[in-house]
């Protein structure tokens, strides 16, 4: 069955969504949850397609914004951008900035997507303090709470982060927020020497500077290191970082209007519209960065990444180079296949080799939650 | 819940202890383990077993059938596999400093102490990772990566508490408002599952493919398996740290400063508050020079870049003055900072000067409800004719009310427990949680239904049963009522990746 023939349901309420999911469970119809439909190729190995696509578009409210508590409760289908606009009214943000394009909070959570703010604030798993989910037998359950510190019960919200809909549907999440710094300045260092770029980034990752973003970019033999600072003294902080970059022979400039620089970093984590781009996410050690850059160069690919974390995104424009690039990266570190062009669908193993015992355990967990076995079968487990 | 539903203290095991299961004669197993672990690492003498009958929560005591002290992952595996084979329940224990009875033994089972597994296996500073065995103490991790780096979670018991215990409880500490909890720093775990199999979740790298079982395991209070190796992320030490303690006439005034800090967009490394009773206890114990007539003490610590720290610190001082602080003491050096922190961290231990016994709560409230909740606690204390001291992590609303009582007086322990239960209810009703960092254990499981309905608890049980269908791992903890695992998972189905020939079962 192909996506063209999948039935699309857009429930208008939580109850309707739960009923759709239960009905699918009862009739053993494979289900995919869809938010902004921006990451539908992630984790899809063989082109096994759902019979029902359930959209979360009808669940789009920002339910609570508790500014004084730095928390919010948001329905899964709420677009991140709209939620951020609400929080910005109180100079706050959800410290989550994956490439956007209309992505919903539920989709970002289910995909475990992240952006440059990850370096300072952690990933979506680190920002979610509670979740309400629906399961394929019609159960609605919540875990966590809506306070930022809470250890009562199992942390099921984290389990649903990155689950790509394989356990059930996320209905609502509670998140912790952070203040938006009063000013931000980015120090940008440039070099055509991959080793210099990597060394400069590593030096900043170990410096006693409190950056709110530390990224690298490498494309066509040109490299950049970006270090962003916020607060009431972002200028002097960025100057300190600039000094470190200069010590490593990079050409440095400071940018106080830096949004475009960071948007470019985020955009490079996704395929360009209408392109044949393949996007791969590499979970590496920070010290492996030079090897990843070399693989990217060999396959005319671009790389952006969180230098201090070891997370990188490699974008391969030429489908002919895709398999070579993937094999090259997997020779260095675990690599997940994210955006896949139509010509490569079903040809790439989305996750690579995994620990067999962990896979068996993951399967038991999936069977425990998705008793009907209908939620994105085969996508993650 | 109805107040006072729990056990009177000192009466041994709590009710609802665990599902009925046939008691296994441990004799043959003990012989097997003496051979595998060495006789001196299998404890069966009554008086030695007594050492392990309680954890940090002394109100509960159960003597285990045996205590085992494995040294290696293989030994842990052998012990757990034998328990699985024979149907013997077990409880894992680190330093035993937990405050919720999470490491309370089971009488018909064994206690597995991980304190002999205390090697730091690897320090990889270039990648800001440390790999340790579970018995390594919290403070030893920071020591291993200092002076350039540190490990942020810092529970008050950090000198003795172990990383394995921190993983089980998702430990926090004074600095978690800014830096987060254990779960934010664990990147990998090697686990012995309750059937004895070994599994690795994650590793040094973040975002590995697959379900985030790591995130589900951290904070599971020893009910899903035993961590035998832990990969941790460490971070660079901040360039500057500035600490002050300000004294106010009331906790309401001190609370206004916390609100001003938060709405001013400042994220302090720590914000801690103590009320008058806690100040008096701490002062009597440490002699830090805190004024004993102050209604509240507020400790604020900022860290980060020198420039930002300095600028923000001035703002905080102005906020304290604006809220009418009677005095402000700024730590001029590391020694003065230590004095402030010693007074704060000694608050629990110092309570012995106020009352012969006390009961610590660990509830959380939305920070903005602080004044209202403290008012309600005061009313309740008057009603119950008991003293309640308050020490709390003010940034994240984690309260530690200490209900003081004298166990020698008829009925006072029961009254204290009832009051403690009422305080939990007030916090949950305010939109909070029954526990912020101490865990549910045996102590708070009866409050779980206040936060979670049957469906929620059922979802927890699904996770539990996926890891431990026989429910031999730390039975009787976390869940308010024992439940059996339901139907066994369905028949094995081939994964589509396998069908496509892209992967195979390894």
């Amino acid at each position: 069955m192909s996506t063209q023939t999948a039935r699309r349901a857009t429930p208008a309420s939580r109850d309707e969504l739960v009923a759709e999911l239960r009905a699918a469970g009862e009739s053993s119809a494979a289900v995919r949850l869809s938010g902004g439909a921006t990451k539908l190729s992630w984790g899809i190995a063989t082109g096994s397609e759902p019979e029902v696509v359930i959209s979360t578009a009808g669940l789009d409210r920002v339910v609570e914004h508790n500014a004084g508590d730095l928390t919010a409760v948001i329905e899964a289908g709420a677009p991140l951008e709209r939620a951020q606009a609400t929080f910005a009214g109180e100079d706050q943000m959800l410290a989550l900035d994956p490439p956007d394009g209309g992505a919903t909070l539920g989709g970002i959570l289910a995909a475990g997507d992240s952006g440059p703010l990850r370096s300072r604030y952690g990933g979506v798993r680190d920002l979610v303090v509670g979740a309400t989910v629906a399961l394929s037998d019609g159960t609605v359950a919540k875990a966590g709470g809506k306070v930022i510190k809470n250890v009562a019960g199992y942390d099921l919200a984290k389990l649903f982060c990155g689950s790509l809909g394989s356990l059930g549907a996320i209905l609502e999440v509670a998140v912790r927020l952070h203040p938006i710094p009063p000013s931000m300045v980015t120090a940008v260092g440039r070099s055509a020497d991959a080793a210099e770029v990597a060394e400069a980034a590593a030096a900043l990752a170990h410096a006693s500077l409190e950056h709110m973003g530390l990224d690298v970019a490498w494309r066509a033999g040109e490299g950049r290191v970006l270090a962003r600072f916020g607060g009431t003294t972002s200028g002097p902080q960025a100057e300190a970082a600039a000094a470190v970059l200069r010590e490593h022979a990079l050409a440095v400039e400071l940018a106080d209007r830096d949004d475009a620089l960071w948007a470019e970093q985020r955009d490079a984590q996704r395929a360009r519209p209408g392109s044949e781009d393949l996007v791969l996410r590499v979970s590496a050690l920070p010290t492996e960065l030079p090897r990843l850059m070399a693989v990217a160069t060999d396959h005319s690919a671009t790389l952006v990444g969180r230098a201090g974390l070891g997370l990188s995104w490699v974008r391969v424009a030429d489908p002919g180079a895709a398999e070579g690039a993937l094999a090259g990266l997997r020779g260095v570190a675990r690599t997940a296949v994210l955006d896949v062009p139509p010509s490569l669908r079903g040809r790439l193993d989305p996750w690579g080799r995994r620990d067999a015992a962990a896979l068996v355990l993951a399967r038991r967990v999936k069977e425990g939650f998705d008793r009907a076995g209908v939620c994105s079968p085969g996508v993650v487990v | 819940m109805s107040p006072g539903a729990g056990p009177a203290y000192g009466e041994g095991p709590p009710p609802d202890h665990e599902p009925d299961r046939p008691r296994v004669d441990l004799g043959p197993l003990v012989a097997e383990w003496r051979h595998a672990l060495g006789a001196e690492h299998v404890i069966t003498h009554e008086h030695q077993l007594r050492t392990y009958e309680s954890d940090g929560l002394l109100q509960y005591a159960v003597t285990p059938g045996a205590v085992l002290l494995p040294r290696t992952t293989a030994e842990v595996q052998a012990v757990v596999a034998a328990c699985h084979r024979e149907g013997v329940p077990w409880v894992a224990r680190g330093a035993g400093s937990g405050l919720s009875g999470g490491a309370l033994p089971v009488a018909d089972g064994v206690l597995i102490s991980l304190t002999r597994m205390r090697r730091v296996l690897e320090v990889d500073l270039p990648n800001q990772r440390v790999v340790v065995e579970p018995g390594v103490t919290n403070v030893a991790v920071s020591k291993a990566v200092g002076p350039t780096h540190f490990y942020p979670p810092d529970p008050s018991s950090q000198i003795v508490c172990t990383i394995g215990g921190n993983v089980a409880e998702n430990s926090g500490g004074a600095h978690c408002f800014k830096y987060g909890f254990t779960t934010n720093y664990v990147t990998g775990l090697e686990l012995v599952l309750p059937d004895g199999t070994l599994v690795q979740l994650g590793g040094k790298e973040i975002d590995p493919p697959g379900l985030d079982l790591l995130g589900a395991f951290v904070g599971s209070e020893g009910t899903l398996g035993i961590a035998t190796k832990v990969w941790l992320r460490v971070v660079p030490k901040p360039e500057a740290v500035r600490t002050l303690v300000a004294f106010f006439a009331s906790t309401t005034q001190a609370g206004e400063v916390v609100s001003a800090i938060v709405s001013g967009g400042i994220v302090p490394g720590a914000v801690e508050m103590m009320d008058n009773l806690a100040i008096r206890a701490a002062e009597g114990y440490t002699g830090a020079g805190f004024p004993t007539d102050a209604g509240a003490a507020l400790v604020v610590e900022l860290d980060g870049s020198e420039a930002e720290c300095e600028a923000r610190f001035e703002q905080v001082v102005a906020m304290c003055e604006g809220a009418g602080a009677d005095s402000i003491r700024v730590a001029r050096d590391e020694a003065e900072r230590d004095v402030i922190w010693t007074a704060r961290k000694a608050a629990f231990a110092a309570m012995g000067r106020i009352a012969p016994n006390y009961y610590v709560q660990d509830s959380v409230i939305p920070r903005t409800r602080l004044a209202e909740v403290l008012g309600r606690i005061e009313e309740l204390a008057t009603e119950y004719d008991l003293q309640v001291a308050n020490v709390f992590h003010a940034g994240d609303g984690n309260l530690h009310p200490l209900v003081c009582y004298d166990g020698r007086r008829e009925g006072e322990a029961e009254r204290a427990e009832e009051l403690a239960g009422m305080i939990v209810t007030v916090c949950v009703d305010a939109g909070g949680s029954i526990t912020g960092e101490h865990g549910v254990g045996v102590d708070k499981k009866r409050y779980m239904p206040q936060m979670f309905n049957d469906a929620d608890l059922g979802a927890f049980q699904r996770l539990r049963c996926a890891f431990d269908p026989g429910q031999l791992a730390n039975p009787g903890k976390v869940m308010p009522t024992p439940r059996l695992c339901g139907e066994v998972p369905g028949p094995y189905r081939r994964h589509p990746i396998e069908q496509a020939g892209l992967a195979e079962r390894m």
Side-chain angles (χ1 to χ4, degrees), chain B residues 186-206:
Chain B
V186 176
T187 62
L189 290 172
E190 177 189 83
L191 304 179
V192 174
L193 297 179
D195 65 359
T197 54
L198 195 67
V199 56
Q200 183 178 332
L201 306 177
K204 277 188 184 175
E205 301 87 352
I206 61 173

PDB file of all heavy atoms in Angstrom, chain B residues 186-206:
ATOM      1  N   VAL B 186      23.802  11.446  31.841  1.00  0.00           N
ATOM      2  CA  VAL B 186      24.108  10.042  31.540  1.00  0.00           C
ATOM      3  C   VAL B 186      23.974   9.839  30.035  1.00  0.00           C
ATOM      4  O   VAL B 186      22.903  10.063  29.471  1.00  0.00           O
ATOM      5  CB  VAL B 186      23.152   9.091  32.286  1.00  0.00           C
ATOM      6  CG1 VAL B 186      23.413   7.644  31.885  1.00  0.00           C
ATOM      7  CG2 VAL B 186      23.293   9.251  33.786  1.00  0.00           C
ATOM      8  N   THR B 187      25.061   9.421  29.378  1.00  0.00           N
ATOM      9  CA  THR B 187      24.987   9.184  27.933  1.00  0.00           C
ATOM     10  C   THR B 187      24.968   7.704  27.599  1.00  0.00           C
ATOM     11  O   THR B 187      24.683   7.334  26.469  1.00  0.00           O
ATOM     12  CB  THR B 187      26.173   9.847  27.193  1.00  0.00           C
ATOM     13  OG1 THR B 187      27.391   9.256  27.665  1.00  0.00           O
ATOM     14  CG2 THR B 187      26.211  11.347  27.444  1.00  0.00           C
ATOM     15  N   GLY B 188      25.291   6.868  28.574  1.00  0.00           N
ATOM     16  CA  GLY B 188      25.275   5.438  28.294  1.00  0.00           C
ATOM     17  C   GLY B 188      25.213   4.619  29.569  1.00  0.00           C
ATOM     18  O   GLY B 188      25.615   5.078  30.632  1.00  0.00           O
ATOM     19  N   LEU B 189      24.658   3.430  29.447  1.00  0.00           N
ATOM     20  CA  LEU B 189      24.576   2.519  30.584  1.00  0.00           C
ATOM     21  C   LEU B 189      24.809   1.097  30.107  1.00  0.00           C
ATOM     22  O   LEU B 189      24.297   0.702  29.056  1.00  0.00           O
ATOM     23  CB  LEU B 189      23.177   2.568  31.224  1.00  0.00           C
ATOM     24  CG  LEU B 189      22.758   3.818  31.984  1.00  0.00           C
ATOM     25  CD1 LEU B 189      21.282   3.721  32.342  1.00  0.00           C
ATOM     26  CD2 LEU B 189      23.598   3.993  33.241  1.00  0.00           C
ATOM     27  N   GLU B 190      25.570   0.355  30.882  1.00  0.00           N
ATOM     28  CA  GLU B 190      25.605  -1.093  30.709  1.00  0.00           C
ATOM     29  C   GLU B 190      24.713  -1.653  31.812  1.00  0.00           C
ATOM     30  O   GLU B 190      24.889  -1.309  32.978  1.00  0.00           O
ATOM     31  CB  GLU B 190      27.038  -1.602  30.876  1.00  0.00           C
ATOM     32  CG  GLU B 190      27.158  -3.114  30.785  1.00  0.00           C
ATOM     33  CD  GLU B 190      28.558  -3.564  31.177  1.00  0.00           C
ATOM     34  OE1 GLU B 190      28.814  -3.695  32.391  1.00  0.00           O
ATOM     35  OE2 GLU B 190      29.383  -3.769  30.282  1.00  0.00           O
ATOM     36  N   LEU B 191      23.741  -2.470  31.410  1.00  0.00           N
ATOM     37  CA  LEU B 191      22.764  -2.959  32.370  1.00  0.00           C
ATOM     38  C   LEU B 191      22.751  -4.471  32.433  1.00  0.00           C
ATOM     39  O   LEU B 191      22.871  -5.143  31.410  1.00  0.00           O
ATOM     40  CB  LEU B 191      21.347  -2.532  31.959  1.00  0.00           C
ATOM     41  CG  LEU B 191      21.052  -1.055  31.754  1.00  0.00           C
ATOM     42  CD1 LEU B 191      19.593  -0.902  31.318  1.00  0.00           C
ATOM     43  CD2 LEU B 191      21.294  -0.302  33.040  1.00  0.00           C
ATOM     44  N   VAL B 192      22.544  -4.974  33.647  1.00  0.00           N
ATOM     45  CA  VAL B 192      22.166  -6.364  33.807  1.00  0.00           C
ATOM     46  C   VAL B 192      20.660  -6.354  33.990  1.00  0.00           C
ATOM     47  O   VAL B 192      20.137  -5.766  34.943  1.00  0.00           O
ATOM     48  CB  VAL B 192      22.865  -7.008  35.017  1.00  0.00           C
ATOM     49  CG1 VAL B 192      22.329  -8.417  35.255  1.00  0.00           C
ATOM     50  CG2 VAL B 192      24.375  -7.034  34.796  1.00  0.00           C
ATOM     51  N   LEU B 193      19.952  -6.945  33.042  1.00  0.00           N
ATOM     52  CA  LEU B 193      18.493  -6.986  33.110  1.00  0.00           C
ATOM     53  C   LEU B 193      18.070  -8.064  34.111  1.00  0.00           C
ATOM     54  O   LEU B 193      18.851  -8.971  34.413  1.00  0.00           O
ATOM     55  CB  LEU B 193      17.907  -7.269  31.723  1.00  0.00           C
ATOM     56  CG  LEU B 193      18.180  -6.201  30.661  1.00  0.00           C
ATOM     57  CD1 LEU B 193      17.575  -6.614  29.322  1.00  0.00           C
ATOM     58  CD2 LEU B 193      17.639  -4.848  31.096  1.00  0.00           C
ATOM     59  N   PRO B 194      16.830  -7.984  34.580  1.00  0.00           N
ATOM     60  CA  PRO B 194      16.388  -8.939  35.608  1.00  0.00           C
ATOM     61  C   PRO B 194      16.428 -10.406  35.176  1.00  0.00           C
ATOM     62  O   PRO B 194      16.355 -11.290  36.021  1.00  0.00           O
ATOM     63  CB  PRO B 194      14.963  -8.482  35.909  1.00  0.00           C
ATOM     64  CG  PRO B 194      14.993  -7.007  35.640  1.00  0.00           C
ATOM     65  CD  PRO B 194      15.870  -6.867  34.428  1.00  0.00           C
ATOM     66  N   ASP B 195      16.569 -10.688  33.880  1.00  0.00           N
ATOM     67  CA  ASP B 195      16.729 -12.094  33.492  1.00  0.00           C
ATOM     68  C   ASP B 195      18.213 -12.460  33.350  1.00  0.00           C
ATOM     69  O   ASP B 195      18.548 -13.553  32.888  1.00  0.00           O
ATOM     70  CB  ASP B 195      15.962 -12.399  32.201  1.00  0.00           C
ATOM     71  CG  ASP B 195      16.512 -11.654  30.999  1.00  0.00           C
ATOM     72  OD1 ASP B 195      17.486 -10.881  31.159  1.00  0.00           O
ATOM     73  OD2 ASP B 195      15.976 -11.830  29.887  1.00  0.00           O
ATOM     74  N   GLY B 196      19.077 -11.531  33.730  1.00  0.00           N
ATOM     75  CA  GLY B 196      20.502 -11.818  33.719  1.00  0.00           C
ATOM     76  C   GLY B 196      21.215 -11.440  32.431  1.00  0.00           C
ATOM     77  O   GLY B 196      22.432 -11.531  32.356  1.00  0.00           O
ATOM     78  N   THR B 197      20.481 -10.998  31.408  1.00  0.00           N
ATOM     79  CA  THR B 197      21.162 -10.612  30.175  1.00  0.00           C
ATOM     80  C   THR B 197      21.818  -9.246  30.330  1.00  0.00           C
ATOM     81  O   THR B 197      21.381  -8.409  31.112  1.00  0.00           O
ATOM     82  CB  THR B 197      20.217 -10.569  28.952  1.00  0.00           C
ATOM     83  OG1 THR B 197      19.124  -9.725  29.260  1.00  0.00           O
ATOM     84  CG2 THR B 197      19.729 -11.934  28.570  1.00  0.00           C
ATOM     85  N   LEU B 198      22.866  -9.065  29.553  1.00  0.00           N
ATOM     86  CA  LEU B 198      23.621  -7.820  29.579  1.00  0.00           C
ATOM     87  C   LEU B 198      23.231  -7.002  28.362  1.00  0.00           C
ATOM     88  O   LEU B 198      23.154  -7.533  27.251  1.00  0.00           O
ATOM     89  CB  LEU B 198      25.114  -8.157  29.539  1.00  0.00           C
ATOM     90  CG  LEU B 198      26.079  -7.037  29.901  1.00  0.00           C
ATOM     91  CD1 LEU B 198      25.927  -6.665  31.365  1.00  0.00           C
ATOM     92  CD2 LEU B 198      27.507  -7.485  29.616  1.00  0.00           C
ATOM     93  N   VAL B 199      22.992  -5.721  28.572  1.00  0.00           N
ATOM     94  CA  VAL B 199      22.631  -4.872  27.449  1.00  0.00           C
ATOM     95  C   VAL B 199      23.309  -3.521  27.611  1.00  0.00           C
ATOM     96  O   VAL B 199      23.483  -3.041  28.733  1.00  0.00           O
ATOM     97  CB  VAL B 199      21.079  -4.740  27.338  1.00  0.00           C
ATOM     98  CG1 VAL B 199      20.471  -4.231  28.612  1.00  0.00           C
ATOM     99  CG2 VAL B 199      20.674  -3.836  26.190  1.00  0.00           C
ATOM    100  N   GLN B 200      23.722  -2.937  26.486  1.00  0.00           N
ATOM    101  CA  GLN B 200      24.294  -1.590  26.542  1.00  0.00           C
ATOM    102  C   GLN B 200      23.335  -0.617  25.870  1.00  0.00           C
ATOM    103  O   GLN B 200      22.917  -0.810  24.726  1.00  0.00           O
ATOM    104  CB  GLN B 200      25.659  -1.531  25.858  1.00  0.00           C
ATOM    105  CG  GLN B 200      26.278  -0.133  25.986  1.00  0.00           C
ATOM    106  CD  GLN B 200      27.662  -0.018  25.369  1.00  0.00           C
ATOM    107  OE1 GLN B 200      28.415  -0.997  25.296  1.00  0.00           O
ATOM    108  NE2 GLN B 200      28.007   1.183  24.913  1.00  0.00           N
ATOM    109  N   LEU B 201      22.974   0.428  26.595  1.00  0.00           N
ATOM    110  CA  LEU B 201      22.136   1.489  26.042  1.00  0.00           C
ATOM    111  C   LEU B 201      23.010   2.719  25.885  1.00  0.00           C
ATOM    112  O   LEU B 201      23.620   3.174  26.838  1.00  0.00           O
ATOM    113  CB  LEU B 201      20.972   1.805  26.990  1.00  0.00           C
ATOM    114  CG  LEU B 201      20.082   0.634  27.418  1.00  0.00           C
ATOM    115  CD1 LEU B 201      19.033   1.113  28.413  1.00  0.00           C
ATOM    116  CD2 LEU B 201      19.406   0.002  26.210  1.00  0.00           C
ATOM    117  N   GLY B 202      23.056   3.263  24.668  1.00  0.00           N
ATOM    118  CA  GLY B 202      23.881   4.449  24.445  1.00  0.00           C
ATOM    119  C   GLY B 202      25.345   4.128  24.629  1.00  0.00           C
ATOM    120  O   GLY B 202      25.775   2.971  24.526  1.00  0.00           O
ATOM    121  N   GLY B 203      26.125   5.137  24.935  1.00  0.00           N
ATOM    122  CA  GLY B 203      27.563   4.985  25.093  1.00  0.00           C
ATOM    123  C   GLY B 203      28.124   6.368  25.331  1.00  0.00           C
ATOM    124  O   GLY B 203      27.506   7.178  26.012  1.00  0.00           O
ATOM    125  N   LYS B 204      29.260   6.646  24.732  1.00  0.00           N
ATOM    126  CA  LYS B 204      29.803   7.993  24.891  1.00  0.00           C
ATOM    127  C   LYS B 204      29.043   9.010  24.034  1.00  0.00           C
ATOM    128  O   LYS B 204      28.986  10.185  24.352  1.00  0.00           O
ATOM    129  CB  LYS B 204      31.272   8.007  24.455  1.00  0.00           C
ATOM    130  CG  LYS B 204      32.247   7.549  25.504  1.00  0.00           C
ATOM    131  CD  LYS B 204      33.666   7.804  24.992  1.00  0.00           C
ATOM    132  CE  LYS B 204      34.693   7.260  25.966  1.00  0.00           C
ATOM    133  NZ  LYS B 204      36.058   7.406  25.414  1.00  0.00           N
ATOM    134  N   GLU B 205      28.500   8.536  22.914  1.00  0.00           N
ATOM    135  CA  GLU B 205      27.865   9.462  21.979  1.00  0.00           C
ATOM    136  C   GLU B 205      26.423   9.738  22.390  1.00  0.00           C
ATOM    137  O   GLU B 205      25.783   8.911  23.030  1.00  0.00           O
ATOM    138  CB  GLU B 205      27.878   8.873  20.562  1.00  0.00           C
ATOM    139  CG  GLU B 205      29.260   8.557  20.025  1.00  0.00           C
ATOM    140  CD  GLU B 205      29.745   7.165  20.416  1.00  0.00           C
ATOM    141  OE1 GLU B 205      29.075   6.490  21.225  1.00  0.00           O
ATOM    142  OE2 GLU B 205      30.812   6.771  19.925  1.00  0.00           O
ATOM    143  N   ILE B 206      25.900  10.881  21.975  1.00  0.00           N
ATOM    144  CA  ILE B 206      24.500  11.177  22.270  1.00  0.00           C
ATOM    145  C   ILE B 206      23.630  10.865  21.054  1.00  0.00           C
ATOM    146  O   ILE B 206      24.128  10.711  19.941  1.00  0.00           O
ATOM    147  CB  ILE B 206      24.282  12.634  22.738  1.00  0.00           C
ATOM    148  CG1 ILE B 206      24.714  13.635  21.668  1.00  0.00           C
ATOM    149  CG2 ILE B 206      25.043  12.899  24.030  1.00  0.00           C
ATOM    150  CD1 ILE B 206      24.342  15.055  22.034  1.00  0.00           C
TER     151      ILE B 206
END
